[in-house]
């Protein structure tokens, strides 16, 4: 009886040691995930300003006849003639005029640097 208990104890210990070791597949999955995050960050860095500009939020202001103009009109009607600071329209116009804020750029660059460091 004592022998069978010892055998179970050894098997349990072997399983615990094996399961706690990192596996190559898990590491590969993590790298793929981080690489995907880096690619997504790069797409966001370039894509957000492009999409915002295409909708009509430009450096020269809101382009007439665009979705941005319709959004601004709706926001102005809802607010009694003005567009509230910090509203969606105001934030999108800011991005269209000046690009992404420095904090967003820093986060994107940081994510890319983290991915680069792991590869």
């Amino acid at each position: 009886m004592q022998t069978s208990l010892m055998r179970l104890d050894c098997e349990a210990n072997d399983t615990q040691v094996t399961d706690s070791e990192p596996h190559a597949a898990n590491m590969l999955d993590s790298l793929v995930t981080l690489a995907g995050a880096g690619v997504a960050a790069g797409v966001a860095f370039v894509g957000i300003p492009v999409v915002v500009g295409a909708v009509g939020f430009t450096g020269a202001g809101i382009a007439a006849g665009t979705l941005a103009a319709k959004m601004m009109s709706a926001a102005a009607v809802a607010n009694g003639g003005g567009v509230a600071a910090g509203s969606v329209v105001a934030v999108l116009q800011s991005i269209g005029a000046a690009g992404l804020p420095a904090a967003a750029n820093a986060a994107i660059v940081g994510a890319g640097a983290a991915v680069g460091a792991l590869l």
Side-chain angles (χ1 to χ4, degrees):
M1 186 129 180
Q2 193 174 21
T3 307
S4 63
L5 288 177
M6 185 180 294
R7 174 181 282 164
L8 290 174
D9 187 38
C10 290
E11 288 176 6
N13 286 339
D14 288 344
T15 301
Q16 289 174 353
V17 171
T18 303
D19 287 344
S20 67
E21 295 173 359
H23 297 286
N26 290 340
M27 292 175 64
L28 181 61
D29 287 344
S30 296
L31 285 174
V32 168
T33 300
L34 287 172
V39 168
V43 168
F45 180 72
V46 173
I48 290 173
V50 169
V51 170
V52 168
V55 171
F57 296 100
T58 68
I62 293 179
T66 62
L67 178 61
K70 292 175 186 174
M71 290 174 66
M72 183 177 176
S73 176
V77 168
N79 290 315
V83 176
S87 67
V88 172
V89 172
V91 170
L92 291 174
Q93 179 53 39
S94 176
I95 292 171
L100 289 173
N105 285 336
I108 291 168
V109 169
V115 170
L118 291 172
L119 296 178

